Amino acid sequence: MGKVTGFLEYQRLQEASEAPQLRKKHYKEFVVHLSDADAKVQGARCMDCGIPFCNNGCPVNNIIPDWNDLVYRGAYREALDVLHSTNNFPEFTGRICPAPCEAACTLGINSDPVGIKSIEHFIIDKGWENGWVVPQVQTVKTGKKVAVVGSGPAGMAAAQQLARAGHDVTVFEKNDRVGGLLRYGIPDFKMEKSHIDRRVEQMKAEGVTFRNGVFVGKDFPPNVYNWAKETIFPDQLKKDFDAVVITGGAEQPRDLPVPGRELKGVHFAMEFLPLQNKVNAGDKVKDQIMATGKHVVVIGGGDTGSDCVGTSNRHGAASVIQFELLPMPPEQENKPLVWPYWPTKLRTSSSHEEGCERDWAVATKRLEGKNGKVEKLIAARVEWKDGKMVEVPNSEFELKADLVLLAMGFVSPVQQVLDAFGVEKDVRGNAKASTDGEGCYKTSVDKVFAAGDMRRGQSLVVWAIREGRQCARAVDEYLMGSTVLPR
Amino acid sequence: MHAQGLYDPTNEHDACGVGFIAHIKGKKSHSIVEQGLLILKNLDHRGAVGADKLMGDGAGILIQIPDQYYREEMAKQGVMLPPPGEYGVGMVFLPKENASRIACEQEIERAVLAEGQVVLGWRDVPVDLDMPMSPTVRAKEPVIRQIFIGRGPDIMVTDALERKLYVIRKSSGHAIQALNLLHGKEFFVPSMSARTVVYKGLLLADQVGVYYKDLQDPRCVSALALVHQRFSTNTFPEWPLAHPYRLIAHNGEINTVKGNFNWMRAREGVMKSAVLGDDLKKLFPLIYEGQSDTACFDNALELLVMAGYPVAQAMMMMIPEAWENHTLMDDNRRAFYEYHAAMMEPWDGPAAMAFTDGRHIGGTLDRNGLRPARYIVTDDDLVVMASESGVLPIPESKIIKKWRLQPGKMFLIDLDAGRIIDDKELKDTYANAKPYKQWIDSVRIKLDELEKEPEEPKSSLPLLDRQQVFGYTQEDIKFLMAPMAASGEEAVGSMGNDSPLAVMSNKNKPLYNYFKQLFAQVTNPPIDPIREAMVMSLVSFIGPRPNLLDTNNINPPMRLEVSQPVLDYADMAKLRNISKHTGGKFKAYELNICYPVAWGKEGIEARLASLCAKAVDAVKSGHNILVVSDRKFDADQVAIPALLATSAIHLHLVSKGLRTSTGLVVETGSARETHHFALLAGYGAEAVHPYLAMDTLVELAKGLPGDLSAEKAIYNFQKAIGKGLMKVMSKMGISTYMSYCGAQIFEAIGLNKALVDKYFKGTASNVEGIGVFEIAEEALRLHKLAFSNDPLLANALDAGGEYAFRVRGEDHMWTPDAIAKLQHSTRSNNFNTYKEYAQIINDQSKRHMTLRGLFEFKLDPSKAIPIDEVEPAKEIVKRFATGAMSLGSISTEAHATLAIAMNRIGGKSNTGEGGEDENRYRQELKGIPIKKGESLASVIGKDRVEVDLPLQAGDSLRSKIKQVASGRFGVTAEYLTSADQIQIKMAQGAKPGEGGQLPGHKVSEYIAKLRFSVPGVGLISPPPHHDIYSIEDLAQLIHDLKNANPKASISVKLVSEVGVGTVAAGVAKAKADHVVIAGHDGGTGASPLSSIKHAGSPWELGLAETQQTLVLNRLRSRIRVQTDGQIKTGRDVVIGALLGADEFGFATAPLVVEGCIMMRKCHLNTCPVGVATQDPVLRAKFQGKPEHVVNYFFFVAEEVRQIMAQLGIRTFNELIGRSDLLDKSKAITHWKAKGLDFTKIFYQPEVPASEPRFQVEEQDHGLEKALDHKLIAQAKAALEKGEKVSFISPVKNLNRTVGTMLSGEVAKKYGHEGLPDDTIHIQLQGTAGQSAGAFLAHGVTLDLVGEGNDYVGKGLSGGRIIVRPNTEFRGWAVDNIIIGNTVLYGAISGEAFFNGVAGERFAVRNSGAITVVEGTGDHGCEYMTGGTVVVLGATGRNFAAGMSGGIAYVYDPDGDFEKKCNMAMVALEPVLSSADQEAKVDRAIWHATTRDGEGQTDEAILKGLIERHFKYTGSTRARNLLDDWANARGKFVKVFPTEYKRALGELNAAKQSTEKVAA
């Protein structure tokens, strides 16, 4: 265990970051991982609890106390081994995970939780810097072929695990690059895409085949980005492979059915964000949606909304305002009744620090514009009573709006894909499969497994990794009769 | 009574009063018989009566054959007896049924003829049939007849006749058992001898002389009478179990009897006796299975005596002194013991043995002196010895010597020679009889002295794979091995064990985990292996044992000795090549216990069988060291669990009579923690080489901090295991490895009967479970995983998760969600959230955690009732109590919150060990309630509180249960009077059989105040209560406490283990009002990890056994039963009730409600939520509220009600004992758990329906007989008006606990401060019974003229005790004993002056009393934390062991005190003159005789005390010393605890700095 009394002696340290005014000028990551000395001190704060709630709070069940201790003792390589034993891609989660582990940290009951995410970030960066992250090639091949449809974090995790179990894995990705929402949904300033590329290289070395630009299904809705050049029917896949894992995410965005929605300048976040990432990657993009000089209204108070804010500011927006339908949450949650669970509280993201007005309990009533182009937004204040939303009388107001970005979350996976596979769906339109017991992660269709957002609906990257790993185990067991892959 | 349900008669215990009287010159008289019977009567209180007042536990008397009387009686039948010594008398119990009786008689006659002797005739022993007798006793009453056997023509001397009689008795007994008659078991031969005869039966003490008319006849004469009064845990009428046996009467218990039995059995094949010759074979089996420990002992002793050993020498062989570490012992005597140690393992356990062969009579005490035995010698040649003094009314003027038996010592009266032979002379005689020292030197080989051998090559397999084969986890390394390697100590942990039993675990567990360590409670004491290390020994002999009966010692064989049983690489290499070093005398043979993986699990059975056969072949072909080895496993060969193989081979060799022809050494990769080594030893290993643990240590040493070499790591590990083994042995009260070896002190949980009977015979296993193939399967699974390509195991061991929760590790009942839901529900008073919590705990359909989790209720929907018909929750919550958590283990805030909550709901909170702030109860007891607006801080003081708690009107901070633990911290008369219930903690679930230690840095000013100790001085709680070494001692303590507070119920807390039911029955008979059966899994502030995990059993087992045994004994009606241990939900409560509990204890759950999040860091004082810490910074973070705790208990009660409604039961009482409403869950498919069988748990004893299943009546404590009623009446003026009173009262040994009830009255009215000094002055005249002056309050003086027994001044609370001899007595005070053992135990304050010598353990755990005594026995001032002791004469050994505070001044004119003093925690200093001290010694470290008093010079203190000693007692020694003071002072030694010295310095420094600040 770190230091017995470390939690009494040391303070939590935030990772350093570039000043907002400076970082707004570029699209690079601006958070600096801890120094060796700081990491040691942060590790020393861990109390090595008899019940590490973090271990439970973390969706991939990272064995946090163990690597905290190893970092405290300077055993970085061992720390990396422990970290990798539960998490295929700590460089993703170490950057963009909201860290439910920290919400569950015991020290957080009456003090600042251990900076778990910063330590994870430190460990994995240390690993890459020192060349410790190398392909783990399975020499004993099973001769079984598995297709993974969708290369987001769930698909990547499943593919890597399956390859390490000795299967021949092919990953199908409809877009031109691997990574799914990680690649095109997360702005580079939060996570640079070289991290994905490095992993792809590792996975290729481990025997995973990637087929980009290939859409698996029949047809596809227009408002979801799709740059596929080729289409394969699911039946073909089922014929060619011993098992198919569908990890296509939950890409169907929630729309705003108000008058004026059809105006130009009103876009889903996922029409806006990917283009910037492509540009950063060196692609030529025609008609990129730009916020430069515009009055931007972001509708939706979540992380995607934040990403829109950060990107708009980098474009040089004239103003950015972000709405949320729900009332402003409290600054501090009622810990005795919430800990160790994820609290609803006011969260200020790094993008907010870069400049943005935020408003809560606001409902958009309509959009108005000229020449088919949006110019203003009319909204009203709402109140919530017994879970029901009521408009506050006479509270209507209007705002200048040249660009309206809809970031209200995702409704479900793309139904057309699930329908093409013919899998049974749950009430929310997700692929139906359990996560425990016999036949877990298996859909109603033989050979076909589902994981990640496609199975659970929109969620966190860390949940996607968990599902990918667990699904791989289920597939391995399905193919081989038994498995040693960890859940 | 036959075994049924969980009741098993093999668990019965007894303890007793024992005594004898003898005429030294052998003069026979009837008065000796009469006086013997009188001793019996006066020991009456040491026995017990059961449910039926007319049914005792048995009593009897052994006398010499009254030749003249028998001669005349037989003459009436026309039988002329031959001269004395030429005939023998057999006392025979015969079946009442005629035909059976005749069959038995004929078998005896046949045996007499077969042995060439003559049947002279039979005599009906006249008994009083009109004597009132319990019907159950009457029903079992045998026909009692005597057979007279004359010598045959070949028999010339009485000794030869005696041997023939022995053969006749044994062989006829075997023949009758072989007849297998229904009534055959009623046959028993109490004695058959040419010298002695035994009259005994299931009689009350005063009935023996009435029932047997022979004893009333004046012609019935004897020169000796040995008597015994039994106190048994059961109430089943068994006549033969009464003592005395043929040679002995015993008070105490042989803990190692199972091993001794096995070893005796093992010798049967190889023993040869020149004396007994061919007759020897007729004696087998020597000992029947299932006999009592005393009977086994008697059988073995008898064999030794008949084979030619003098009885005293035989006793020395069976109960040797602690010679191993005895630095003062004479060389020859040590050689004698060492020589015989290889021949026979000690029969270990508390024992006061009186023995006689008819010509000698004597007594001896076990090595640790755990039973009392006092004796006197008179000027008319009588010797009287008894468990206590004062059993015969002998005028003081006739007594010339008063003394006691001392630990390991013996004394003998040779009636033929007509003199007493003392210990030294006796033992010197035997020790010098043969050149033992020379023999030892030539036959003993010490392994570590042999030349080094090249070490074995190491395995080429990767270490990680090898570790995985044996199921190593990361936690084994982190929590167990690394601490041992680094510090040589086992690691400590905290909180309870909430992970599943091995048989339910989804993980693959080592076979070791299916066994639980047994431990001593009540019927015998655990030992303190640290402070009383002098009696402990790890010496082991490897190899064949010499012939036990080789009395002539012709060419004794070689023996190989190791100083401790954990062998390292070098040891093992030597052992393999032992033949080379011993000229072929020793030959090792390796038994490879691996077999091909390809054989699968089925392979194990045949493999074990062939191993056993191979072992036999090896021994028969001349190998005499068998090495059971799993070293040869690899990817294709799997190892049979070493424990299974070892036990199978050991027991097989025992059954073949070959075990003593060979040594058994285990070489295994599996052993890595103490528990593993203990098991291997317990099942027969003489030594263990844990090669893989050592390989691991070599690797581990590199990564540990500091420059730890591999050698040092291994050395430390061996040391830690050695200490751990001593701890495991000592918790059962066993002190030597030799007697622990093969003693099987374990119970199995989760192994089926077939397996146990075949491979672990004699081990209890009550819930069935897996069999041998599942064991193989589990080993195979581990093996497969180790060599698989499991990615998690590629670079690392399995995470474990036993000691700390891991999502992928072992399951725990307390999951993160369970804790969160419980906290959220109780904080928001949300029953639905509570139900979510309860569901996590209760639903074990997927996660198997506890036995009860696999139970289900037999629900009949037609019987369900509406919930509003069920008893209300506010009634049910009154049955709830919180666990005994001391203020010290948890914070003031956490402790008070529980008390407030429990008082609000009408339940009970428990102080825990360590006293209670009187501010929490004084006002309340005066009738002044707490008012609105008051708070915790306003009641106990602002500076005591970090987080204040507002109080409501009528709240109470008083803990209704006051605990009395072995440390007796803060147990004052006032503390006791403030209780509703007084709980005697016999054991604690997390570490039964062990003591505890509060390190000095945790003893804050407040804790020191509550515990009456010095801040900064560490406090040790001894493993045993030093006033409870047996069941009758417990009865005495119960009596003491009841006297101190007659209104309080007395509770005894036990921990579940096999046999706890019988202990509970004994507890009920000892008059406890309440008994707690704690599960093994309960929490703790700090305990060795191996104890948390591996000692004790689940409460489901212990509680069910308790209920069944109490009901069977018809004792259940008068005792309340409480259970605790991981009780968390209403379902737990209902199951507890169905299994027999009236009440329930909760500890961890309410702590969780208060904010505990199972950090398991209590022992580190770093609890981050302010619950289990004393750190003010952390205490300030405490968030618990009484309201939350109240909510919790109401939720639990509500859940109980819901279940009751479903079951259709309206009142809680109707639930109790209804185990018929439980069933085994039908859904268990788990591959291991499915073999469990709970039939025994659900068993309903066969007793009439009218027999109560729950408590309905109160115990009769017999308090009305107390002398104190008179004293209180006479002290009325003092009690009511504070006037001085003074009076005289006679006293007898039957007057126990004198002055205590009076003190309770004083304390109730005047608090701990009591009355002004000497307000009540009582002069007592005579011999006081036990516990004179217990808890004597301030202002009371007991001036006892005569003598005292054990426990004088126990818990002295400010009073003054003077004990001085009667003026008629002529002996010197310094040469005569005046008070018994364990005097001033836990004394708090006050003073005591004893003009005479004290027994063992004088002033043990004294925390403030001042005393002067003229000499002490062993272990004086043990665990003392405060006070002042002056010893004016010799002390025994081990003085000041564990002494952390206070001062002792010892008169040491010969300068040999240092050798007798345990120097581990003290330093010896001269007593300086006052002038010198003032000049040279810093005042900061001057001792003060009163708490918070000014320091004085040692000379002033010492001289002052001796002056007062003289004033009060008229001591001659005191006068002489004072008269020559200048000279005398220099001969005193000051015993100064180093910790106390340091703390005094620190306190002073702190005081000065605060003064500076103030200035």
Side-chain angles (χ1 to χ4, degrees), chain A residues 287-469:
Chain A
D287 306 328
Q288 184 187 358
I289 303 164
M290 293 299 289
T292 317
K294 290 179 182 165
H295 296 286
V296 181
V297 179
V298 178
I299 300 177
D303 288 338
T304 308
S306 255
D307 294 343
C308 292
V309 170
T311 304
S312 297
N313 274 324
R314 278 167 178 71
H315 284 177
S319 73
V320 183
I321 184 162
Q322 186 182 15
F323 285 160
E324 169 59 48
L325 194 57
L326 293 167
M328 187 163 103
E331 296 257 354
Q332 185 62 55
E333 76 274 24
N334 184 1
K335 262 200 186 147
L337 295 184
V338 175
W339 180 91
Y341 300 122
W342 183 249
T344 307
K345 67 171 179 184
L346 182 65
R347 291 168 198 278
T348 303
S349 73
S350 61
S351 292
H352 294 139
E353 292 168 358
E354 290 159 8
C356 158
E357 197 183 319
R358 302 168 78 183
D359 205 349
W360 281 271
V362 172
T364 306
K365 299 202 71 175
R366 61 188 184 277
L367 302 159
E368 290 175 5
K370 275 184 202 155
N371 306 328
K373 259 193 86 205
V374 68
E375 286 185 342
K376 61 184 178 187
L377 178 149
I378 292 90
R381 310 230 153 251
V382 293
E383 277 178 340
W384 291 83
K385 283 177 183 158
D386 303 326
K388 282 200 179 127
M389 186 180 81
V390 187
E391 189 178 323
V392 177
N394 307 321
S395 67
E396 254 189 41
F397 62 98
E398 62 173 68
L399 273 178
K400 263 186 118 167
D402 307 320
L403 178 62
V404 176
L405 296 171
L406 306 179
M408 298 174 299
F410 300 90
V411 183
S412 69
V414 172
Q415 298 295 296
Q416 287 86 336
V417 173
L418 296 180
D419 293 342
F421 274 93
V423 300
E424 201 181 316
K425 293 180 278 190
D426 67 13
V427 286
R428 290 175 302 151
N430 301 322
K432 193 173 172 186
S434 68
T435 57
D436 272 311
E438 218 169 301
C440 61
Y441 291 96
K442 202 172 166 302
T443 67
S444 60
V445 176
D446 189 33
K447 281 191 182 181
V448 179
F449 293 75
D453 289 0
M454 193 157 249
R455 196 204 61 78
R456 67 182 289 124
Q458 64 164 355
S459 183
L460 306 176
V461 169
V462 65
W463 275 107
I465 297 174
R466 170 198 174 100
E467 296 224 338
R469 287 170 63 86

Side-chain angles (χ1 to χ4, degrees), chain A residues 48 50 55 66 336 339 341, chain B residues 805-807 817 824 1159 1161:
Chain A
D48 191 18
N55 178 226
D66 286 7
W339 180 91
Y341 300 122
Chain B
F805 178 92
R806 290 287 181 268
V807 168
D817 288 325
H824 296 172
M1159 282 299 287
K1161 297 285 181 290

